[in-house]
Amino acid sequence: MLAGCRFQAANALRPLTRTIACRASNFYTDPSKNQDPGVSTSPDISPEQREILDRALRVDQAGEIAANWIYRGQFAVLGRDPQVGPLVQEMWDQEKLHLEVMDKLQLQHEVRPTLLSDVAKAAGFALGAATALMGKEAAMACTEAVETVIGEHYDDESSQLKDFESLPSSHPSIPLLRDVIKEFRDDELEHLDTAVEHHSQRAPAHALLSAVVGGGCKVAIELCKRF
Amino acid sequence: MTTTTTSAKLLKLALPLIKNHGFTRETLSLSVLSLPTPLAHPLPDASVTALFGPGDDARRTLVHAWLDDARHRMKEEAAERMRMGDVLKARLKSNEPVLEHLPEAFALLASSSSLPLPLLPVDPAPIIKHAAEVSDQACWIAHSEARESSWYTRRVSISAIYLAAELHQLTSPRTAPAFLDSLLENAEHAGKALDETALFASYVWKSWRGIVRSSGVLV
C-alpha cells in the first residue's frame, strides 16, 4: 500500500520535477559528456552489490527492448491511422532513447545482457501487433498495462526502500543512475497518461486484457533478472 | 572475518611460490615466510587445513586464487585498443612461469565434483568455467562496444578458442601463439561467412516481401 501511495505521489509531482531538472539521460546521449567519470567508469563494489546492479540493469535493458518492439508491432498495424499513428511514433521514439541509454549503461557497468533478448523482441512485437489488431483502444490498453508495470518497477528501483539503497553514492555513476531511472519512470508514467487519455479504458475486456498483459510483464521481469 | 582476510593474504603471498613448489599444500604452508613480519617456521599441516580446507581442497583453493589473479592481471595490463589476439596471448604468457604445474592444476579442478555421486569420472565444469571467465574478461577488454545479439556467441567462440590454445600450450608452448592466431583467423572467416549468409537471406526475404506486397494480396 505504501508503494502504491508513493507511486501516486510521484505521478502527481511529475510535471513539477520535469520542468525544474534537466534530463539526467543527457549525460548519456550528449557525446561531449562521454569522458565524464559518471558515464565512463563503474564503481568498485562487492560481488553482492555487483549482482544487484547487474540484475537491475539487465532487466531494465530487457524491458526497454520489449517496449521498443511492442511499439514497433503497434506501429506496423496502426501506423497509418491519423489519430493514433503519430502518438505511437512519438512514444516509440522516446523508448528508442531509453534503449540507447540502457545500452550505454550496460557497457559502462559491464553487465551481462539477458539471454532472452530475442524472446523479448518476438513477444513484444506479437503483443503490440495483436493488441493493435484488436483495435485502437486495445492497443492503448496494452500500453496502459505495460507502462503501469514498468513505471512501478522503475519507481521501486529508484526509491530508497529497495535494491539500490546498498550501492555507494560516493561514486558519481550511482546518483546519476538513480536520476536516470527516475526520469525514465516519469516518461513511462507520461505514456500511461497518454494511453488513458486516448480511451484505453474503453477497450473490450479491458480488465482481463490489463491483467493478462500486466501479469505477463511481471513474469518477464522475474525471468530477465535471472537469465 | 579475520580468518578470511588472513587466508586471502596468505593466498596472495603463495602465488609467487607456485613456480618453484607447484600447486601444493607445501606452497600454502611456505607462504607465511613471505609475510611482512615472517613467521619462523612454515605453517603446520593442521593450520593449512583450518585455513584452506582438507586434502586437495586446499590445493584447489590455490588453483582458483592463481586463476583469479591471472584474470585481474589481464584487466590491469590491458592497453588501449588491444586486439583480441593480443589480449589472449598476454593471458597465455602469464601461464608460462607455472606451465609445468598447470596440467596437474587442471587435473585437480577436473577431479572435484560438487555432486555426491559423480556422474562422470572427470568434471569438465570448472575448466569450462575458467575458459568462460577468461573469454568474458577478454571480450570486455577487446570489444567494449559489442551489441547484445553477438554478446553470447562471441564469448562462446572465444572461450573455445582460448581453451584449445591453452591445451596446445601445455604440450607445445612455443607454437601456442601461432596456433591461437590461426584459430582466431578461422573464427573470423566463419563469422564473415555467417554474416554474408544472413545478408543474402535478408535480401531474399525483402524481395519476397516486395513481391507479395505488389501482388495486391495484402490490402
Side-chain angles (χ1 to χ4, degrees), chain B residues 101-156:
Chain B
H101 304 296
L102 274 182
E104 202 186 340
F106 288 142
L108 269 171
L109 289 182
S111 60
S112 71
S113 179
S114 51
L115 299 170
L117 285 171
L119 294 169
L120 300 163
V122 284
D123 179 18
I127 303 202
I128 292 172
K129 188 165 174 250
H130 150 64
E133 284 172 350
V134 169
S135 127
D136 183 45
Q137 190 63 72
C139 286
W140 280 121
I141 295 169
H143 293 288
S144 40
E145 273 91 50
R147 292 292 106 192
E148 112 276 325
S149 58
S150 60
W151 203 91
Y152 285 94
T153 49
R154 193 196 313 274
R155 270 156 178 73
V156 167

Side-chain angles (χ1 to χ4, degrees), chain A residues 107-168:
Chain A
L107 294 177
Q108 178 192 355
H109 295 287
E110 294 189 357
V111 169
R112 172 177 74 80
T114 178
L115 258 169
L116 302 171
S117 57
D118 290 320
V119 174
K121 286 175 184 169
F125 189 86
L127 178 65
T131 49
L133 285 168
M134 283 163 66
K136 288 185 272 196
E137 289 83 15
M140 291 294 120
C142 166
T143 302
E144 183 198 345
V146 170
E147 300 295 8
T148 304
V149 173
I150 294 185
E152 279 180 355
H153 170 74
Y154 278 146
D155 190 52
D156 282 344
E157 266 188 359
S158 66
S159 77
Q160 299 302 309
L161 297 178
K162 264 212 172 188
D163 302 334
F164 281 8
E165 188 190 40
S166 66
L167 297 174

Side-chain angles (χ1 to χ4, degrees), chain B:
Chain B
M1 213 48 192
T2 326
T3 318
T4 323
T5 325
T6 311
S7 58
K9 266 191 216 163
L10 290 176
L11 275 172
K12 211 165 167 180
L13 292 169
L15 297 176
L17 304 174
I18 295 171
K19 187 172 158 189
N20 294 322
H21 303 281
F23 292 95
T24 56
R25 293 171 68 89
E26 188 198 350
T27 308
L28 290 167
S29 75
L30 288 171
S31 62
V32 289
L33 303 179
S34 312
L35 280 168
T37 45
L39 298 187
H41 304 286
L43 276 179
D45 202 59
S47 306
V48 173
T49 302
L51 284 169
F52 304 109
D56 280 344
D57 286 348
R59 299 176 71 194
R60 281 186 206 107
T61 309
L62 185 57
V63 173
H64 283 301
W66 187 85
L67 291 173
D68 288 342
D69 179 66
R71 221 174 38 254
H72 286 137
R73 274 184 284 139
M74 266 175 89
K75 197 165 180 181
E76 279 162 22
E77 289 159 18
E80 275 292 313
R81 303 197 188 290
M82 252 179 123
R83 283 174 36 250
M84 180 57 77
D86 298 328
V87 174
L88 292 178
K89 277 182 199 157
R91 177 59 185 81
L92 285 176
K93 208 168 155 63
S94 68
N95 279 347
E96 282 169 10
V98 300
L99 202 56
E100 50 181 348
H101 304 296
L102 274 182
E104 202 186 340
F106 288 142
L108 269 171
L109 289 182
S111 60
S112 71
S113 179
S114 51
L115 299 170
L117 285 171
L119 294 169
L120 300 163
V122 284
D123 179 18
I127 303 202
I128 292 172
K129 188 165 174 250
H130 150 64
E133 284 172 350
V134 169
S135 127
D136 183 45
Q137 190 63 72
C139 286
W140 280 121
I141 295 169
H143 293 288
S144 40
E145 273 91 50
R147 292 292 106 192
E148 112 276 325
S149 58
S150 60
W151 203 91
Y152 285 94
T153 49
R154 193 196 313 274
R155 270 156 178 73
V156 167
S157 80
I158 295 292
S159 64
I161 288 171
Y162 175 73
L163 198 55
E166 196 171 53
L167 289 171
H168 184 105
Q169 188 192 29
L170 293 179
T171 48
S172 168
R174 271 199 297 268
T175 54
F179 182 65
L180 177 68
D181 281 335
S182 74
L183 285 176
L184 284 170
E185 212 177 292
N186 286 342
E188 210 181 304
H189 286 318
K192 280 205 180 104
L194 276 173
D195 285 341
E196 278 164 19
T197 312
L199 189 64
F200 183 71
S202 77
Y203 290 152
V204 171
W205 161 250
K206 282 177 184 165
S207 321
W208 278 106
R209 199 176 64 183
I211 289 169
V212 167
R213 272 197 188 143
S214 59
S215 72
V217 164
L218 301 168
V219 171

Side-chain angles (χ1 to χ4, degrees), chain A:
Chain A
M1 201 203 110
L2 186 64
C5 292
R6 210 179 52 246
F7 185 65
Q8 302 299 334
N11 211 355
L13 281 171
R14 215 175 356 100
L16 190 63
T17 51
R18 279 166 84 69
T19 48
I20 290 172
C22 75
R23 289 175 73 88
S25 59
N26 284 345
F27 275 89
Y28 286 96
T29 52
D30 183 351
S32 67
K33 297 199 167 72
N34 263 347
Q35 300 307 313
D36 189 292
V39 169
S40 53
T41 57
S42 192
D44 190 17
I45 48 181
S46 73
E48 293 79 24
Q49 289 174 318
R50 180 59 62 184
E51 179 68 23
I52 288 170
L53 183 63
D54 226 48
R55 282 186 169 199
L57 287 176
R58 178 159 53 249
V59 84
D60 290 348
Q61 190 191 31
E64 295 302 342
I65 291 171
N68 260 274
W69 281 76
I70 289 174
Y71 284 122
R72 188 191 289 253
Q74 289 187 341
F75 193 78
V77 177
L78 293 171
R80 280 188 218 93
D81 185 291
Q83 200 190 19
V84 170
L87 205 61
V88 171
Q89 180 70 66
E90 194 191 317
M91 293 195 285
W92 186 12
D93 288 340
Q94 270 195 319
E95 296 297 348
K96 282 177 189 165
L97 182 79
H98 287 192
L99 184 58
E100 192 192 318
V101 173
M102 279 299 161
D103 284 344
K104 289 193 177 151
L105 277 166
Q106 183 236 325
L107 294 177
Q108 178 192 355
H109 295 287
E110 294 189 357
V111 169
R112 172 177 74 80
T114 178
L115 258 169
L116 302 171
S117 57
D118 290 320
V119 174
K121 286 175 184 169
F125 189 86
L127 178 65
T131 49
L133 285 168
M134 283 163 66
K136 288 185 272 196
E137 289 83 15
M140 291 294 120
C142 166
T143 302
E144 183 198 345
V146 170
E147 300 295 8
T148 304
V149 173
I150 294 185
E152 279 180 355
H153 170 74
Y154 278 146
D155 190 52
D156 282 344
E157 266 188 359
S158 66
S159 77
Q160 299 302 309
L161 297 178
K162 264 212 172 188
D163 302 334
F164 281 8
E165 188 190 40
S166 66
L167 297 174
S169 298
S170 49
H171 192 277
S173 65
I174 301 297
L176 178 61
L177 177 61
R178 287 198 188 110
D179 288 340
V180 165
I181 299 291
K182 279 183 190 145
E183 182 195 317
F184 286 7
R185 176 201 62 194
D186 295 345
D187 287 344
E188 306 298 359
L189 294 180
E190 202 177 299
H191 293 175
L192 168 61
D193 284 346
T194 305
V196 172
E197 277 162 26
H198 286 82
H199 317 300
S200 65
Q201 310 263 333
R202 287 189 201 166
H206 173 264
L208 178 64
L209 189 62
S210 302
V212 167
V213 172
C217 289
K218 286 179 185 159
V219 166
I221 286 175
E222 288 308 314
L223 283 173
C224 289
K225 273 185 189 165
R226 280 155 194 70
F227 298 108

